Amino acid sequence: MQPRLPWATSILGTGSTIETDTASDQARNRDLLRIQHRSSLVEEDDIDSSKSGEHDELQENDDGMSGELHREMDVDVDVDVDMADEDTMIEDDEDEDVPVESEFIPSIARSTGSRASGSMSRGSSGVPPYNNVGSAASTSSLRISRTDWTTDSSAEVFSRSPSGVPPNSWYPLEPSENKAFSILYVPDASRAMSRSAAERNLSWARREISFEHFEAIKGLTGFVHKYSENRHGVRVNIMEWLWIMLIMNDFDGGDAFDVTFMSWEEFRDIILDPPSHIEGWTNLTQCDCIIGGLDYTIGHSEPNSPYGLDKRSFSMYEAHVTQLGSHTQFWPPIRLTRRVSDKWTTICHLQIIAQSSMRFNFSPHTRILKDGDAIPPDAVLKRSHSECSKHVILPSAPKTKRTWTHLNAITSAGTFWMAQEYVPSLADIGEWRVFIIGGRVMAVMHTRKHSNGEWRGEETSSFCSFDEISKIIRRSPKPVDVADLLRVIVNPQGGDGVVRSQGREQFYTFVRETWKSLVMRETKDTGAKPSLCVFCRLDVGIKIDPSGTSEPQYFVNEVERTPTTSLWLYHFEKTMATFADTFAMVFRQWLMDIRNPYIM
């Protein structure tokens, strides 16, 4: 399914070399390859020659060569150009045959008018379509149009290179594809639940969907449970990411995506044995993007793993899905997800960011534990490749759980344990789950685990400033019970607008700066923009000194980025359709950019 380039074959003949003109033409034009174009990109009408100290004198020869111009510049360059022909030939220095690659990139004539648009619908967001520079290329010869090297007087200076050619003149920009992208969604096997379990789970939501949508997903056992139906649609309890996919399918009137669905079991069987599922494998390779499958950030090698992969089959899955990844795009990209799946890389980035950035930024000290190492009594024990606090052991846990005998018993292949500095206020006050799409904070949910083990959440839009928190602590009897601060700090409803704006700005500044720094560090580390650019959830806690000696500090406790991330839709009173539509818009732009081979 490689796109056919309209100029890829018509430029080249059947031979393996580029045909040239006559010998006299070759001699006349050979030196053109050595010219360094040093002329200014922008010509201004009112140039003060006394200021510039140099000017160009154009002389027209009287010996019949009326089409040749001689430019006298600050360096001696003799240019012999045949102006009788509208095009100029590029020749090889030694008159040797020039080998031709299978794909030749032609020069692009710079448009002097308005830019051509590669249209991309952004739904109801009101974001204008992406604009690209229009391109034109000769398909009949290797001659370069004279307009390639001509700039209009209003052109902006883009480059200070010796050639003086603006990047959008010489680099071929092509508009991104504008079509309904085919998306295959494979729900994660770890999220399948019975009707009763889904009733209480925070990653499920009650929604009303259309009859067509229900028909498309009703075969995904364990991911949607029907309650009732009316003349408008079907009332269901649905796994939240499955609902996001339904919204994506309808985004921009259904013209942006064509979403289909496949169970994990069917997907796994195709990956493990492609020769026995040739048609299925072919269909997978023809998808524009696959979302879902196996999530590397959670425990996929546990003895009771829902993925149904033993050590041998997992190795086979890895080999085959990597090969599939060279045919079709995965989101999140498989290699990048594997890299951050153990959480250690992200923790290191967060610690560096906290040490070198803002005043109110903190990161708990964390180190890797090896079998037999002394276990710090006051540290939280966390296992890699885990989620939802399944492998988190607090200092208050029974001592039998804080021994290597117990830790090794719940350690699977490829996982390890870490000791992290314990922050008491995280348990007393909870944390803010911040949902970021395309670098924008879309929603904030404050969550806290209660004594009965249940998690509760509250949509949050108001925040305390650090000055407020410090004043409250100074005025309170010592030592301060941090749990008593919960009602004051979380979603405060009092205070004037100035104070509330200050608190909100401090929180959002911390989130934005941390997100940006994390994206940049991962980009430098991998050479590719991470999936954080599309979607992520930052779990933010606050460190409070009960004595009031130290100032409060925000810190990131966890970073989630895959389609198993809980969106807490269970606690959002609204449908969060704007959240889903914004994800669809940003995801479409990411997919268009990543499928375009040119640097945008």
Side-chain angles (χ1 to χ4, degrees):
M1 288 188 62
Q2 296 179 351
R4 180 181 177 85
L5 302 178
W7 42 261
T9 56
S10 59
I11 268 188
L12 303 177
T14 57
S16 60
T17 62
I18 301 174
E19 298 296 332
T20 63
D21 280 341
T22 64
S24 60
D25 291 333
Q26 295 175 4
R28 183 164 56 250
N29 298 310
R30 184 179 301 116
D31 289 340
L32 285 176
L33 285 176
R34 300 186 179 92
I35 296 174
Q36 293 185 349
H37 189 80
R38 300 286 295 273
S39 60
S40 174
L41 296 180
V42 182
E43 297 179 4
E44 300 182 5
D45 293 336
D46 301 323
I47 298 178
D48 187 347
S49 60
S50 62
K51 285 186 177 181
S52 62
E54 60 183 42
H55 60 87
D56 295 336
E57 180 182 355
L58 297 177
Q59 297 179 343
E60 184 173 5
N61 294 339
D62 295 327
D63 56 358
M65 298 181 63
S66 60
E68 296 188 7
L69 300 179
H70 183 266
R71 178 181 289 272
E72 296 180 354
M73 301 176 62
D74 56 329
V75 294
D76 294 332
V77 179
D78 293 329
V79 184
D80 189 14
V81 182
D82 182 5
M83 297 293 292
D85 194 344
E86 290 298 326
D87 301 318
T88 301
M89 294 293 298
I90 294 182
E91 308 295 344
D92 185 77
D93 284 342
E94 302 302 328
D95 294 335
E96 297 178 354
D97 290 342
V98 181
V100 178
E101 299 295 335
S102 60
E103 293 185 356
F104 176 81
I105 301 180
S107 62
I108 301 301
R110 187 178 189 276
S111 172
T112 58
S114 61
R115 292 188 173 189
S117 296
S119 62
M120 185 203 75
S121 171
R122 297 290 186 107
S124 59
S125 66
V127 180
Y130 185 84
N131 291 330
N132 280 319
V133 178
S135 62
S138 170
T139 59
S140 59
S141 71
L142 292 178
R143 300 179 184 273
I144 299 178
S145 171
R146 186 174 304 282
T147 58
D148 289 355
W149 309 98
T150 304
T151 58
D152 63 285
S153 60
S154 62
E156 181 181 357
V157 178
F158 290 90
S159 172
R160 296 189 181 276
S161 63
S163 64
V165 180
N168 61 345
S169 288
W170 63 264
Y171 193 85
L173 299 182
E174 294 289 338
S176 296
E177 294 175 281
N178 182 26
K179 67 171 188 175
F181 293 104
S182 59
I183 307 296
L184 175 65
Y185 176 58
V186 183
D188 194 276
S190 66
R191 295 301 184 261
M193 293 186 181
S194 65
R195 177 185 292 266
S196 59
E199 291 278 356
R200 305 182 303 273
N201 195 275
L202 299 174
S203 61
W204 284 64
R206 294 194 179 188
R207 296 290 185 269
E208 186 176 285
I209 62 177
S210 68
F211 293 106
E212 292 78 10
H213 282 167
F214 183 72
E215 286 298 317
I217 65 174
K218 67 180 183 180
L220 299 174
T221 304
F223 294 95
V224 58
H225 300 289
K226 178 180 177 180
Y227 285 119
S228 62
E229 63 179 72
N230 53 44
R231 62 188 181 90
H232 300 293
V234 183
R235 188 72 176 172
V236 297
N237 194 19
I238 186 171
M239 195 269 288
E240 51 195 359
W241 276 95
L242 180 56
W243 179 74
I244 294 288
M245 295 300 113
L246 295 180
I247 300 298
M248 280 185 60
N249 189 70
D250 290 346
F251 178 69
D252 194 24
D255 294 333
F257 302 102
D258 180 15
V259 182
T260 56
F261 306 89
M262 179 181 289
S263 68
W264 158 253
E265 290 75 17
E266 182 180 358
F267 180 77
R268 177 196 60 197
D269 293 344
I270 294 174
I271 299 299
L272 291 180
D273 191 7
S276 298
H277 303 84
I278 295 179
E279 182 178 357
W281 177 268
T282 302
N283 290 336
L284 293 180
T285 63
Q286 292 176 349
C287 293
D288 290 324
C289 186
I290 297 176
I291 299 178
L294 187 149
D295 191 335
Y296 292 90
T297 65
I298 63 179
H300 51 76
S301 58
E302 309 290 340
N304 58 346
S305 169
Y307 297 112
L309 296 172
D310 56 23
K311 185 177 181 179
R312 178 178 176 278
S313 59
F314 178 72
S315 298
M316 188 177 299
Y317 175 89
E318 285 285 82
H320 293 172
V321 81
T322 300
Q323 182 180 359
L324 178 61
S326 66
H327 292 279
T328 188
Q329 182 66 49
F330 275 80
W331 186 84
I334 292 177
R335 294 183 185 275
L336 297 185
T337 306
R338 286 175 183 155
R339 185 174 181 83
V340 299
S341 61
D342 61 9
K343 304 182 181 182
W344 176 248
T345 301
T346 302
I347 289 174
C348 291
H349 287 326
L350 290 172
Q351 290 186 343
I352 295 173
I353 292 169
Q355 293 171 3
S356 60
S357 60
M358 299 169 296
R359 169 186 175 188
F360 299 110
N361 197 335
F362 164 75
S363 183
H365 177 72
T366 308
R367 66 183 180 91
I368 294 178
L369 293 177
K370 296 181 180 180
D371 189 2
D373 285 352
I375 299 175
D378 57 347
V380 181
L381 304 182
K382 293 185 174 182
R383 205 198 74 176
S384 67
H385 304 85
S386 185
E387 58 161 353
C388 300
S389 304
K390 289 181 179 178
H391 299 91
V392 176
I393 304 176
L394 297 177
S396 58
K399 292 183 178 180
T400 54
K401 290 188 175 183
R402 299 178 62 86
T403 64
W404 279 109
T405 301
H406 176 74
L407 298 182
N408 289 332
I410 56 176
T411 301
S412 55
T415 64
F416 57 88
W417 287 89
M418 296 170 282
Q420 188 174 79
E421 177 184 352
Y422 178 59
V423 182
S425 56
L426 187 63
D428 295 330
I429 295 178
E431 53 192 327
W432 290 267
R433 319 279 180 158
V434 185
F435 301 94
I436 302 175
I437 298 178
R440 299 294 183 91
V441 176
M442 295 300 300
V444 181
M445 172 73 69
H446 179 267
T447 65
R448 181 171 175 263
K449 193 173 185 178
H450 288 246
S451 56
N452 59 1
E454 291 186 359
W455 284 93
R456 296 181 186 177
E458 176 185 8
E459 190 175 357
T460 305
S461 59
S462 184
F463 305 88
C464 259
S465 69
F466 292 125
D467 286 341
E468 284 184 285
I469 298 174
S470 298
K471 289 178 181 179
I472 292 171
I473 293 176
R474 286 197 298 268
R475 295 170 181 173
S476 301
K478 303 297 185 296
V480 176
D481 187 350
V482 178
D484 291 339
L485 299 176
L486 177 64
R487 294 184 298 273
V488 180
I489 293 177
V490 177
N491 222 12
Q493 299 304 305
D496 58 61
V498 175
V499 175
R500 292 284 69 80
S501 295
Q502 184 183 24
R504 179 183 176 87
E505 181 60 26
Q506 287 176 344
F507 181 84
Y508 274 66
T509 297
F510 167 81
V511 169
R512 285 192 300 263
E513 293 303 315
T514 302
W515 175 84
K516 286 168 60 178
S517 299
L518 191 58
V519 167
M520 293 308 300
R521 294 196 67 83
E522 290 194 8
T523 300
K524 294 174 182 177
D525 189 24
T526 63
K529 282 194 173 183
S531 60
L532 296 173
C533 297
V534 179
F535 163 82
C536 72
R537 192 192 78 197
L538 301 186
D539 296 346
V540 178
I542 187 169
K543 181 184 180 183
I544 295 179
D545 181 4
S547 67
T549 304
S550 303
E551 294 179 306
Q553 291 176 301
Y554 285 128
F555 66 95
V556 174
N557 185 50
E558 195 75 68
V559 179
E560 302 287 353
R561 65 183 82 199
T562 68
T564 59
T565 301
S566 176
L567 306 177
W568 292 76
L569 294 187
Y570 181 88
H571 283 289
F572 279 103
E573 295 182 359
K574 301 176 183 179
T575 63
M576 292 288 284
T578 299
F579 178 98
D581 280 338
T582 305
F583 174 80
M585 179 193 72
V586 173
F587 180 82
R588 177 173 169 81
Q589 180 62 56
W590 171 82
L591 190 57
M592 292 174 71
D593 288 349
I594 204 168
R595 289 170 60 86
N596 192 323
Y598 300 109
I599 297 175
M600 308 306 292

